[in-house]
Amino acid sequence: MKRLLVFLLMVFIPLFIWAQDDADNPASDIQEPEDTESAENNEEPQEPAEFRLKNRTVEISIANINVDVSNNFIAVTDIFKNPFYMLWNIQEIIQDPVLVYRDNIVIDIDEFLKGFKFNLNAVIKPFSFNFNRNDEWGFGIDIGHVNAVGHVFVSENVMRLGKAEDEKVDVGAAVFADVGIPFFFHVNEFKIKIRPAAYVPILYAKPYITYTHKNIDEGTYIETVYNMRIYSLVDMDNDIKQGLNDNARDIPMNNMGYDFGLSVEYPWNYDLDVGVNIVDIPVPFAAAKLHYYSQIKGRAYVDTSSIDLSDMGDEKKKDVLDDAWENEYETKYGYDSGGKKIYRPFLMLFYADYRPFDSRTLSLIPSLGFSLNWLYTEIFSLEGGLSARFDFANIFIPVLGINYNDRKWKNSIDLAFNFRVFEFDFGLSMQAQDFVQSFKGIGLGVNFGIKFGW
């Protein structure tokens, strides 16, 4: 966390100092009176306006997908062969896909034992429509957007079976679907975007898992207690498809929740805009609910103090070992009439858009904020980073970024190819929970999308 704060402060502070310097020196913007006679005799040709594609008035976005996975101990290069090898031997690989894997898959055991960390995030946006009136106001509709998230964090102490008393293992997963109606407008110099949304949780799980390791009598006691209640939209003990058909009409009344997003941007100076982006602001009295649940509850332990070496004969060996460990569990399916209230993760991010050459060609975009995610044991997390956006006539737009989002460092490159009537977006990222490891390909992400209109 300290490393992230230092990194972001080093980026933000110079930008506002430069902007303040310009504001403190208004004389630099005052022009001397023109000599009209001299100007008439020495007219210089005006430079032609810079060519730039206009933004689309009507736009349809389809098949916008983003998937990323990260961990802390194994990289893609540890599993798959060199990409140049795969391209050179593409025909053989098509016939035998096993050839893409390395002969010896290597796992860094030292990093693995430092703590197991795994993140998954998938966003699928099958359809969006937007109308933009000369960049002054606009509206849209997002239909069927789906977001799936999951994580597993196991501490180094647990991985190494260290001493502990009820130490928690951080696990969580959720799947949401939503429909949103984004729109934007201007109030004086402020640009305001609002996105009210109705969302339905399809799956939500925050298992309770604890680990205990202590010395008792003349032995060791290791115990894991777990209570995994997985809430779902339909009864998982019956036919899921039939359950969706039977409950479809009741979803708006029984399961649907509401939240909204808000973005405000202000032109601080001619070369600097500042703003705040707030995502999924919860409405307390309109939270989503899930009623059906599947529950696995139990306890597993090993107690070496119960092992009597003097009774380890062949006839009693099995009984002695059975007394030393146990795995008790029960599984049940139920219906919670009150329902479990479920909120989506909340994000507030302050950002700046600095154009050092007084042009759209290059923008430096630092950001800093925080998120609240109720799937984690510690719901609060810092967010932020730095991106560089290049804009070549609104035709080719690459964006490079180093950001800390969703509790992992993400190094990304996103490319937009805009031909006015058609646009193709594609991006790749490397990510990991550790800053240094995020450059090693331990976690990877890919996103792409298609837009068209005029």
Side-chain angles (χ1 to χ4, degrees):
M1 259 340 151
K2 292 182 179 179
R3 184 183 299 173
L4 173 62
L5 281 173
V6 172
F7 172 75
L8 294 173
L9 288 173
M10 291 176 63
V11 172
F12 264 103
I13 292 174
L15 297 185
F16 289 98
I17 291 177
W18 294 332
Q20 190 63 43
D21 285 344
D22 289 336
D24 292 340
N25 293 279
S28 62
D29 295 331
I30 299 176
Q31 298 180 353
E32 294 292 332
E34 293 185 357
D35 185 341
T36 55
E37 182 178 351
S38 175
E40 291 176 357
N41 296 331
N42 297 280
E43 290 183 356
E44 294 183 0
Q46 295 182 353
E47 295 183 2
E50 179 184 3
F51 172 76
R52 180 176 177 83
L53 279 185
K54 291 179 61 179
N55 290 329
R56 284 178 286 274
T57 301
V58 176
E59 178 183 87
I60 294 175
S61 173
I62 60 174
N64 194 318
I65 298 174
N66 178 24
V67 179
D68 60 68
V69 179
S70 63
N71 70 95
N72 66 315
F73 65 92
I74 188 166
V76 173
T77 54
D78 295 330
I79 301 175
F80 298 100
K81 292 182 180 178
N82 189 297
F84 296 104
Y85 166 84
M86 291 190 283
L87 289 173
W88 186 259
N89 300 276
I90 187 67
Q91 293 183 347
E92 292 83 352
I93 290 174
I94 292 174
Q95 296 176 357
D96 186 6
V98 177
L99 293 175
V100 303
Y101 298 103
R102 291 172 60 95
D103 296 331
N104 297 311
I105 297 177
V106 179
I107 297 178
D108 192 333
I109 297 298
D110 290 335
E111 290 296 334
F112 180 74
L113 293 177
K114 287 180 181 178
F116 176 74
K117 297 179 180 180
F118 174 83
N119 279 87
L120 167 67
N121 184 48
V123 180
I124 302 174
K125 300 178 180 179
F127 180 84
S128 293
F129 168 84
N130 288 289
F131 176 82
N132 179 355
R133 180 62 176 173
N134 298 327
D135 296 328
E136 296 178 357
W137 61 271
F139 66 91
I141 182 169
D142 303 327
I143 298 177
H145 290 191
V146 178
N147 186 14
V149 295
H151 73 275
V152 179
F153 289 173
V154 184
S155 70
E156 179 179 3
N157 188 50
V158 175
M159 295 298 296
R160 295 184 181 274
L161 298 179
K163 298 292 189 298
E165 183 72 31
D166 293 333
E167 182 172 336
K168 293 183 179 180
V169 176
D170 200 349
V171 183
V175 181
F176 298 96
D178 85 348
V179 174
I181 305 177
F183 58 93
F184 76 91
F185 55 91
H186 288 79
V187 176
N188 295 327
E189 296 186 62
F190 291 91
K191 182 177 182 180
I192 300 174
K193 298 179 182 178
I194 302 176
R195 185 185 186 270
Y199 70 97
V200 175
I202 300 172
L203 192 73
Y204 190 89
K206 187 179 179 181
Y208 176 80
I209 304 175
T210 61
Y211 161 82
T212 297
H213 182 181
K214 57 186 178 181
N215 295 327
I216 57 172
D217 299 331
E218 296 181 356
T220 299
Y221 182 81
I222 301 176
E223 178 190 64
T224 299
V225 176
Y226 52 92
N227 186 357
M228 304 182 186
R229 178 172 283 196
I230 303 172
Y231 284 87
S232 55
L233 190 60
V234 296
D235 188 352
M236 302 294 287
D237 194 31
N238 295 317
D239 185 272
I240 296 176
K241 184 178 180 180
Q242 186 62 43
L244 289 172
N245 292 333
D246 294 340
N247 298 325
R249 293 182 179 179
D250 298 328
I251 288 175
M253 184 65 67
N254 294 337
N255 307 109
M256 188 173 290
Y258 302 89
D259 57 22
F260 65 97
L262 173 65
S263 176
V264 180
E265 187 174 277
Y266 176 75
W268 179 286
N269 206 339
Y270 68 93
D271 57 358
L272 177 65
D273 299 336
V274 295
V276 59
N277 189 27
I278 310 175
V279 180
D280 296 337
I281 302 171
V283 181
F285 55 84
K289 290 184 179 181
L290 287 178
H291 299 274
Y292 293 100
Y293 65 86
S294 309
Q295 186 171 13
I296 303 175
K297 183 178 180 181
R299 179 175 70 112
Y301 69 88
V302 175
D303 183 1
T304 62
S305 65
S306 64
I307 299 176
D308 188 349
L309 296 179
S310 63
D311 289 338
M312 291 297 287
D314 292 337
E315 296 181 358
K316 294 186 177 182
K317 182 185 298 184
K318 183 178 183 304
D319 294 336
V320 171
L321 293 178
D322 285 345
D323 292 338
W325 71 279
E326 186 65 66
N327 183 18
E328 306 167 349
Y329 70 94
E330 61 175 334
T331 303
K332 68 176 182 178
Y333 299 90
Y335 182 86
D336 183 351
S337 59
K340 179 177 178 59
K341 291 185 178 181
I342 296 174
Y343 299 99
R344 295 197 288 184
F346 170 86
L347 171 67
M348 176 180 285
L349 202 63
F350 296 91
Y351 66 90
D353 186 337
Y354 174 63
R355 299 169 293 279
F357 303 114
D358 193 19
S359 168
R360 300 185 188 182
T361 304
L362 172 62
S363 294
L364 300 178
I365 308 172
S367 61
L368 177 62
F370 68 93
S371 66
L372 300 175
N373 191 334
W374 290 268
L375 281 173
Y376 289 89
T377 301
E378 296 182 6
I379 66 172
F380 177 86
S381 174
L382 286 176
E383 303 268 338
L386 175 65
S387 296
R389 184 178 188 268
F390 301 87
D391 187 336
F392 300 103
N394 202 24
I395 297 175
F396 176 53
I397 306 174
V399 180
L400 307 176
I402 300 177
N403 292 276
Y404 186 79
N405 300 124
D406 195 22
R407 308 177 195 233
K408 58 184 180 291
W409 288 95
K410 184 176 182 179
N411 311 306
S412 60
I413 176 170
D414 295 288
L415 307 173
F417 303 90
N418 180 19
F419 305 103
R420 184 62 190 279
V421 71
F422 171 81
E423 179 179 331
F424 176 71
D425 300 334
F426 179 75
L428 292 172
S429 63
M430 294 189 300
Q431 52 212 322
Q433 288 79 14
D434 181 78
F435 180 73
V436 175
Q437 289 182 332
S438 67
F439 294 92
K440 297 180 180 180
I442 286 180
L444 288 180
V446 60
N447 66 81
F448 61 87
I450 299 172
K451 301 174 183 177
F452 60 90
W454 189 258

